[in-house]
Amino acid sequence: MGTTTAAADTSSSLPISSYRDIAVDAAHQQVFLSDPFGGSVLVTDYTGQVVKRFSGEAGAWGLALSSDSRTLYVALRDAGAIAAIDTATLEETARYDTGTGAGVYAGPTSLALAGGKIWFGYSTDTWHGALGALDLSGAEPVVTRGQGLDTFRSSPRLAATPQHPDTLVAAESDGNAATLAVYDVSTGQADTQAKRVDPGPDGCESLQDLALTPDARQVVVACAAAHYHQVFRTADLADDGIYTTSWSPDAVAIAPDGTIAAGVYGPSRPDVQLFTQGNSTAFASWDFPSPSDYADTTVETAGLAWAPDGSRVFAVTETSGSSALTLQVLNHPQVATTVTVQAPASSPRNQDLTLTGKLEAPVGFGAGSTVDIWRLDDPLAGEGTLIGSAPVAADGTFGYTDRPRAKGDVQYTVQYYGDARHAYAYGTATVDITSD
């Protein structure tokens, strides 16, 4: 199936000149962006229109949204703290001292929710990084630090997934050869499960971003010195595939259904591509227009995020030679879908006849998907009768049992009406209905 190239559906200029992280709040249809050098957190709606800008958020770096979308946590590197923002009232409700100290080689940067805690990466000094955790489950907040020591040379970047909350992945991001580590945090401590230095067939220098698949079996990384996005198995961090992008990968985000959005920096094209998990060839892509022959619009490091329902991708871009930032809203394109139907060549009338089939598309089918079944007793006349519907399983399969009464050729048509991500499709099968 070929690649579909599209333009951004919405493009909005942002009133900030620095950027580090993005979080999407589906409950209130809001997008949060950190502005570290402006000391603020920007809030927009799903079209990129500004809702609010928080000031007084010194060194706002990494963001993490609670599982119920009620609270946004912000790593404040230059304050040595983690702030909590109510996503409904858009007010800061708490601030927790991490005890790390504040500033470039001290304060917290990346955040991830795992094991019932808020994990953060921070620097212990100029040449070392570590992991810490903020536990809010008790009467008083509890901070632990000093985990993952002697692994990272700077504040590590973190990744987790809500479907498997006991797995935490951390990666070196100081510009040298990356160190990648997987931890089990179910006990409240970061217990190392796997660790690898300079991973990948061509190494991994200057790691820019990483994301964990929903099943927590793979981690996808964007390393600036590579020509593709790399995939590693979390069990042992062995090489586990690539996604064919181009020089130089700098962003990756994974939807709840496993669809990978991959972004690159610089004049390479395309800027953003979509992949199904395990398929190295993209099925959709976007190119962002450049304002002139001397300037290019490119994806920011860690500048991609999915809406939790998978309906769109948000991309933060910058125009080269300026500090102008833009929020691009990329509606997920409908992908081509096929329906295959299997039925017996003949079947006695007034007896059960079972149809089976499968929907196939580059993107998986969500819970609640159905197909309609139509029966035409005379294939030469009319459009037939709607006789029922059938649920579609996660792998696209479906089944339906009918009891036809008319003799002769009966045509069954299975219709799938599509959704925001899948195009309409249908398939047919003809059965010779014989005497009882």
Side-chain angles (χ1 to χ4, degrees), residues 18-20 250-251 265 298-304 316-318 325:
S18 69
Y19 165 82
R20 280 300 179 274
D250 73 341
Y265 175 82
T298 190
V299 179
E300 284 281 273
T301 295
L304 294 176
V316 181
T317 63
E318 180 179 4
L325 296 174

Side-chain angles (χ1 to χ4, degrees), residues 124-209:
T124 59
D125 56 38
T126 308
W127 302 106
H128 300 90
L131 302 174
L134 170 62
D135 187 353
L136 299 178
S137 62
E140 296 293 333
V142 176
V143 175
T144 57
R145 295 179 299 276
Q147 301 190 59
L149 293 171
D150 301 322
T151 300
F152 306 108
R153 291 160 295 182
S154 65
S155 182
R157 188 179 293 273
L158 309 182
T161 180
Q163 293 91 327
H164 290 266
D166 292 334
T167 299
L168 177 70
V169 180
E172 181 71 63
S173 56
D174 73 342
N176 296 314
T179 296
L180 195 61
V182 180
Y183 300 96
D184 178 355
V185 295
S186 60
T187 65
Q189 301 295 313
D191 297 320
T192 305
Q193 303 299 298
K195 184 167 68 174
R196 188 175 174 190
V197 179
D198 201 20
D202 298 313
C204 180
E205 292 184 11
S206 189
L207 185 141
Q208 303 294 299
D209 200 8

Side-chain angles (χ1 to χ4, degrees), residues 30-81:
Q30 298 174 142
V31 181
F32 296 91
L33 304 108
S34 65
D35 169 26
F37 304 125
S40 73
V41 175
L42 185 70
V43 190
T44 77
D45 62 18
Y46 268 19
T47 68
Q49 298 303 302
V50 175
V51 175
K52 184 173 182 176
R53 184 177 181 180
F54 291 87
S55 59
E57 307 293 327
W61 214 265
L63 306 176
L65 194 65
S66 64
S67 59
D68 59 8
S69 291
R70 292 182 178 180
T71 306
L72 176 77
Y73 297 102
V74 185
L76 303 178
R77 188 195 69 175
D78 298 343

